[in-house]
Amino acid sequence: MKPSEIVRHLNQHVIGQEDAKKILSVAVYSHFKKTAQAKPDAVEMVKSNILLIGPTGTGKTLLCETLARILDVPFVTADATALAQTEYVGEEIEAILHRLLDRAEGDMQKAQRGIVFIDEVDKLKATSAQARGPSGERVQNALLKIMEGSPVRLNDGQYIDTTQVLFICGGAFVGLDNIMGKNHSFGFISTTESENQKILDRINSRVKPTDLYEFGIIPEFAGRLPIVARLQDLTRDMLVRIMVEPKNSIYRQFREILASEGVELLIEPPVFEQIAELAIEYKAGARSLRGIFEEMITPVVFLVPDNPAIKKVVIASLFEDAKYFGAPAAA
Ligand SMILES: Nc1ncnc2c1ncn2[C@@H]1O[C@H](COP(=O)(O)OP(=O)(O)OP(=O)(O)O)[C@@H](O)[C@H]1O
Ligand SMILES: [Mg+2]
């Protein structure tokens, strides 16, 4: 699959985040090329693991899950918080790699070219006050080895070599912006033209390894994630599109539910804007959309199945009751 084709597939489920989509699709495409054409005399390819950074509820996990579904490579996801809570980090990691082998249907060659997504790596930040469980830093150290590439013994005695496994790490990294704002030193280049300002903005919006150290990611760990993709806050417009456009958008889901009762659901555009406004206030990205939407739709879904005469429901505002239309004879 070409990078543009991967992006086209991602677009069906993930709204916006064009930069991250581009970076991911190119990385995955290159990963494929690097591992597929390993001729003996070929240029030695080095993999480039990826770090996905972005505010909560903006699509990090969704992007990776969608990617996993559309690609023909074994792909597993793991949660760093779970790793940080167990005493047996090594065994957990081994279990992740075992799942990769399962996804490859036991084909070791295929598994060794797979992709592992480790979510919530920002929860591994090294803090001095860690109450229980191994410290995040210990988990970072354990992950280092497999990200770098090393043979790992699985519990059935087989060895899996992770040299060619692509690692994608995701996390919200709350507070990183403050660290970045404080550290950037490219402010004194003379910027008379707007073009200069653009370049400056680009440099300043890059996450530097030193920013990650300050956050609590150990240098060796950050060093093994050379590619950083950032997801942006979702705008009101994007939030509206999220409710309507994706194949399994919440609007489509509820239209489907009511259609099964022979009822047409129509929600007018201003309603989505009202929901989006509220979601922005809740500061949880697209995550709050569902709650607000369901609260609005609950009375409708409660009422409709008891009233077969209703044929159509129209919602014109989040703050007004839905209007019901039925066959003329109905009460
Ligand atoms: N860009 C997007 N396009 C479409 N839907 C989105 C997008 N971002 C978020 N969503 C919706 O919000 C839900 C939560 O998003 P997701 O799990 O990807 O957040 P996240 O970035 O991983 O956040 P966290 O840092 O809290 O894990 C998704 O299941 C999806 O329904
Ligand atoms: Mg997530």
Side-chain angles (χ1 to χ4, degrees), residues 10 48 113 115 174 269 276 287 318 328:
L10 291 175
S48 308
R113 286 183 270 120
I115 300 176
V174 175
R287 234 182 256 285
L318 187 56

Side-chain angles (χ1 to χ4, degrees), residues 99 179 217 269:
R99 273 197 284 135
I179 294 172
I217 299 296

Side-chain angles (χ1 to χ4, degrees), residues 282-297:
Y282 294 171
K283 295 194 189 343
R287 234 182 256 285
S288 356
L289 295 175
R290 177 167 285 274
I292 304 168
F293 191 97
E294 295 216 2
E295 201 178 307
M296 169 185 80
I297 206 82

